[in-house]
Amino acid sequence: MTGQLVELGAAEGLAYDFDRAVLVNTFDAHRLNQLGRAHGLGSQMHERLMRAHLIEGEVVDDVDTLVRLGKEVGIPPDEARKVLAGDAYAADVLEDTREAQALGASGVPFFVLNRAYGLSGAQPVDTFLSALREAAAAPGTATR
């Protein structure tokens, strides 16, 4: 599976290096991502965490590393450290986990489309396009 993900990523200009990735508990990284969302930096924080973990081999359950990564995208270090020292955003992460499981997530990567459709694993671009079209055509979906 990782070989397919590396190949698909390379075709999109992403240089995944799973040999460097350190398997850790990512709960605090997810809490930091929630803090990023609160600052309007959710996408940037998510991308920074993914790059750190999957490309740079950073240990993303280390508080100092997480504070540094947050700072790089604009999260105040003192605020990040305070969140990581307590249980802030834990309920949000658990709710995201429950929602993902309800959509069929059993691993990563897993993509949620229109808060109703789940797409599991690294997929070719055509598969994503088809799923996006299906999600957009679903009843009750607003189009822009």
Side-chain angles (χ1 to χ4, degrees), residues 13 22 25 38 45 48 57-60 64 71 74 85 92 94 99-100 106-107 117 120 124 126 135:
V22 179
N25 182 326
M45 188 72 257
R48 185 62 190 106
E58 296 268 11
V59 180
V60 295
D64 291 331
K71 181 180 178 184
D92 299 289
L94 292 172
E99 184 177 329
S106 61
Y117 295 88
S120 182
D126 289 341

Side-chain angles (χ1 to χ4, degrees), residues 4-5 8-9 12 109 111 119-129 131:
Q4 180 185 8
L5 190 56
L8 289 169
E12 297 301 320
F111 305 91
L119 190 60
S120 182
Q123 301 290 335
V125 171
D126 289 341
T127 302
F128 273 101
L129 285 173

